Amino acid sequence: MLGRTLRETLRINMKKEIPALMKPTFVWGRRHSVSVALKQGQITPTELCQRCLSLIKKTKFLNAYITVSEEVALKQAEESEKRYKKGHSLGDLDGIPIAVKDNFSTSGIETTCASNMLKGYVPPYNATVVQKLLDQGALLMGKTNLDEFAMGSGSTDGIFGPVKNPWSYSKQYREKRKQNSHSENEDSNWLITGGSSGGSAAAVSAFTCFAALGSDTGGSTRNPAAHCGVVGLKPSYGLVSRHGLIPLVNSMDVPGILTRCVDDAATVLGVLAGHDPKDSTTIQDPVKPFTLPSLTDVSKLCIGIPKEYLTPELSSEVQSLWSKAANLFESEGAKVTEVSLPHTSYSIVCYHVLCTSEVASNMARFDGLEYGHRCDSDVSTEAMYAATRREGFNDVVRGRILSGNFFLLKENYENYFVKAQKVRRLIANDFVNVFNSGVDVLLTPTTLSEAVPYTEFIKEDNRTRSAQDDIFTQAVNMAVCDQQLLTVAKWFEKQVQFPVIQLQELMDDCLSVFENEKLASVSLK
């Protein structure tokens, strides 16, 4: 049943260069290596947790975390350590530090959605995906930053401030800037992480955790993964439970996975996937944990290149890397062919209508009565509603609510919402037709360009940026693609050997703690 249940949509990250692998500077960069070290007693969960907490504090300037759950994590590490000593490990994630985007409910830990509307809100329960990770012994390091209510593509519009891309402070980026003779102040010219799951992507990229949860409605996991140089996986709708994910667009929201390698993403997906009685949209078939086979022969694969994705706005660098990736497959014997997704040009407009309509409906629950922010006005119930929502939501959220309510007006419903649903079906059929034609994998960019400096990003408004940055990612959220891509992605990752971020000062600090000879064997694969 693997072919039917593993219905993930993975955008292979074309934002990274394709040179030989640089020497790793971090001995426990991947979850698999650390899991082996934990089982062999080379490191304890408490030591691992403390090291990640130290890195979180050291990288606080990145603003990746909204809440750091230090006491919770250390207590979980202590329990994990007891299990390892007894030989009763819960699995591959036992003792592994993780982070969770701050739009997933976490019992006893503040969940804000980076909004004044939910600031101070502490849920009484865990989201299903969070509970599944905790049941496997994972250590919750904290809640990560995002665009307010996950509406954005830069992680710049939350009330806690923008997230900074760890690559802005890497040795590679500094050398690149020197070569280009940039003289701008580094403190004001850092790169954006992408969004809206920028905090989770930055947390993984900066080695403060080994996996993180994001959410993906139109690209919010894959976009920041590309910009931060990590793996971003959007499971197909229904494969992973949405229960406890504060909704943005019910018909498109999917919990996303961010890790530093494809194998780790597959491990986390194996834990999270499956039916949830609390979410009626999840698949009914049981999903068993799995490991990815090592693909050695790609000659039987057919790789599709959507011609509509070759847009004038696509940067020359991304276009060049896209071609190199296609040539790599072709040189190894795979068939690379141009395909057509003819309704791509309508997808952004269609997505905007459907997204804002569902946003308007979902945001109606935040009225100041049951939970969340409530204004001090006592003039009337209507005045209290209006003041609460004006104070609680930022301009981006209010704008989407207004747009959605316009599309849902009686006189507009047929002309906008119903038509958008029909176009959505055409977009979904485009993907079905391509895969039915014999294509196994679609190879596309994730974003139009590399991560841009914050000062350049904010020159355009949120809506314009989102429309631009989601062009390659949002269409598939309106479709269902039953394709096994993780195995191909693992092969691609091995062939390309992506560079590892070099945060030398931070890494030296971490390595000093693990100088003993036993840990010398715990290295990146």
Side-chain angles (χ1 to χ4, degrees):
M1 294 301 295
L2 184 60
R4 296 296 301 172
T5 57
L6 180 55
R7 303 182 299 169
E8 73 288 340
T9 301
L10 179 66
R11 284 292 181 263
I12 297 175
N13 177 7
M14 292 305 302
K15 301 304 300 165
K16 306 172 184 176
E17 293 289 348
I18 312 186
L21 178 66
M22 299 180 185
K23 184 178 179 181
T25 57
F26 200 65
V27 293
W28 35 278
R30 295 187 180 184
R31 190 276 321 158
H32 173 77
S33 300
V34 179
S35 183
V36 172
L38 286 169
K39 292 174 182 176
Q40 294 177 351
Q42 297 174 328
I43 185 174
T44 68
T46 300
E47 289 173 332
L48 188 60
C49 181
Q50 289 172 336
R51 192 52 12 212
C52 285
L53 287 170
S54 176
L55 267 177
I56 290 173
K57 293 173 183 177
K58 197 170 181 67
T59 59
K60 187 176 180 180
F61 64 92
L62 296 176
N63 204 25
Y65 288 82
I66 291 175
T67 302
V68 180
S69 50
E70 182 171 355
E71 292 184 8
V72 172
L74 287 171
K75 185 176 180 180
Q76 291 168 342
E78 184 180 338
E79 294 300 317
S80 176
E81 199 164 325
K82 291 177 182 177
R83 290 192 294 271
Y84 274 108
K85 288 180 179 179
K86 295 178 181 178
H88 296 156
S89 169
L90 295 175
D92 290 337
L93 295 183
D94 201 347
I96 299 297
I98 61 157
V100 174
K101 188 177 180 179
D102 204 29
N103 59 346
F104 287 91
S105 295
T106 44
S107 179
I109 301 175
E110 186 180 18
T111 300
T112 68
C113 286
S115 173
N116 280 320
M117 184 61 79
L118 285 177
K119 195 173 182 180
Y121 170 64
V122 180
Y125 68 97
N126 283 321
T128 295
V129 287
V130 174
Q131 191 60 54
K132 283 188 172 185
L133 291 173
L134 297 181
D135 288 344
Q136 290 292 310
L139 315 180
L140 179 56
M141 309 309 295
K143 306 295 290 296
T144 57
N145 205 348
L146 65 153
D147 289 296
E148 182 163 335
F149 279 100
M151 299 185 200
S153 61
S155 299
T156 58
D157 287 319
I159 62 168
F160 299 101
V163 185
K164 298 180 179 181
N165 194 324
W167 283 85
S168 308
Y169 307 93
S170 68
K171 180 180 178 181
Q172 296 102 314
Y173 182 66
R174 288 177 177 175
E175 290 178 350
K176 182 179 179 181
R177 285 176 58 79
K178 286 180 181 178
Q179 292 173 2
N180 294 335
S181 300
H182 286 295
S183 59
E184 294 94 342
N185 187 339
E186 182 182 271
D187 292 336
S188 63
N189 209 47
W190 44 268
L191 304 174
I192 58 133
T193 58
S196 62
S197 306
S200 289
V204 173
S205 181
F207 302 99
T208 64
C209 62
F210 291 84
L213 291 180
S215 61
D216 196 307
T217 307
S220 287
T221 291
R222 292 158 288 162
N223 176 299
H227 284 321
C228 292
V230 298
V231 174
L233 173 64
K234 182 204 82 71
S236 280
Y237 189 86
L239 183 58
V240 176
S241 173
R242 294 181 296 112
H243 174 70
L245 169 60
I246 295 173
L248 177 64
V249 181
N250 299 71
S251 67
M252 300 182 205
D253 291 344
V254 178
I257 299 167
L258 296 109
T259 60
R260 283 191 288 276
C261 69
V262 175
D263 270 322
D264 287 355
T267 298
V268 176
L269 179 63
V271 170
L272 300 183
H275 178 66
D276 179 13
K278 296 176 182 177
D279 179 1
S280 61
T281 63
T282 51
I283 58 172
Q284 299 297 316
D285 298 330
V287 178
K288 296 180 181 179
F290 58 90
T291 55
L292 294 179
S294 294
L295 183 66
T296 57
D297 181 14
V298 297
S299 62
K300 295 181 180 179
L301 286 179
C302 181
I303 311 297
I305 308 292
K307 65 180 182 180
E308 289 81 8
Y309 285 22
L310 188 60
T311 65
E313 297 82 10
L314 186 65
S315 75
S316 58
E317 181 185 17
V318 175
Q319 186 173 336
S320 173
L321 291 173
W322 189 12
S323 297
K324 287 181 180 179
N327 292 339
L328 174 61
F329 278 103
E330 197 166 36
S331 67
E332 294 296 324
K335 179 183 178 181
V336 178
T337 182
E338 183 181 86
V339 298
S340 178
L341 300 171
H343 296 94
T344 297
S345 60
Y346 305 108
S347 63
I348 281 289
V349 177
C350 175
Y351 173 80
H352 176 69
V353 173
L354 297 177
C355 173
T356 55
S357 296
E358 292 197 43
V359 163
S361 176
N362 279 320
M363 295 298 112
R365 73 191 68 195
F366 301 108
D367 54 14
L369 291 179
E370 297 179 67
Y371 54 85
H373 175 70
R374 180 171 184 168
C375 75
D376 296 328
S377 174
D378 58 359
V379 176
S380 68
T381 303
E382 289 75 13
M384 186 274 291
Y385 284 161
T388 293
R389 291 163 71 80
R390 182 176 64 252
E391 295 171 6
F393 294 135
N394 69 5
D395 291 342
V396 174
V397 178
R398 291 200 300 271
R400 293 203 189 188
I401 291 172
L402 286 171
S403 295
N405 281 323
F406 173 81
F407 297 137
L408 293 174
L409 288 172
K410 183 178 180 180
E411 59 266 33
N412 295 331
Y413 185 80
E414 291 286 339
N415 288 330
Y416 290 97
F417 187 76
V418 173
K419 282 186 178 179
Q421 291 285 25
K422 293 177 180 178
V423 174
R424 178 179 184 171
R425 175 52 55 194
L426 295 175
I427 293 168
N429 287 340
D430 286 347
F431 285 94
V432 172
N433 293 336
V434 165
F435 289 125
N436 284 344
S437 70
V439 171
D440 299 297
V441 175
L442 289 180
L443 179 65
T444 80
T446 306
T447 56
L448 288 167
S449 67
E450 62 182 0
V452 299
Y454 172 73
T455 51
E456 180 181 333
F457 183 82
I458 60 175
K459 289 178 181 178
E460 295 182 290
D461 62 89
N462 178 290
R463 183 178 180 276
T464 302
R465 273 294 181 183
S466 295
Q468 293 172 345
D469 294 337
D470 291 347
I471 187 171
F472 300 131
T473 54
Q474 46 73 38
V476 80
N477 284 69
M478 296 186 283
V480 176
C481 304
D482 297 314
Q483 300 296 311
Q484 287 189 51
L485 300 182
L486 282 173
T487 301
V488 179
K490 180 180 177 180
W491 176 89
F492 186 78
E493 178 183 61
K494 183 178 180 180
Q495 297 296 314
V496 172
Q497 297 186 326
F498 293 118
V500 177
I501 187 171
Q502 293 182 325
L503 297 171
Q504 197 60 47
E505 294 178 3
L506 300 180
M507 297 308 102
D508 287 345
D509 179 64
C510 290
L511 288 170
S512 66
V513 179
F514 300 119
E515 288 177 341
N516 63 75
E517 295 180 2
K518 289 183 179 180
L519 283 181
S521 62
V522 186
S523 58
L524 297 178
K525 294 193 295 181

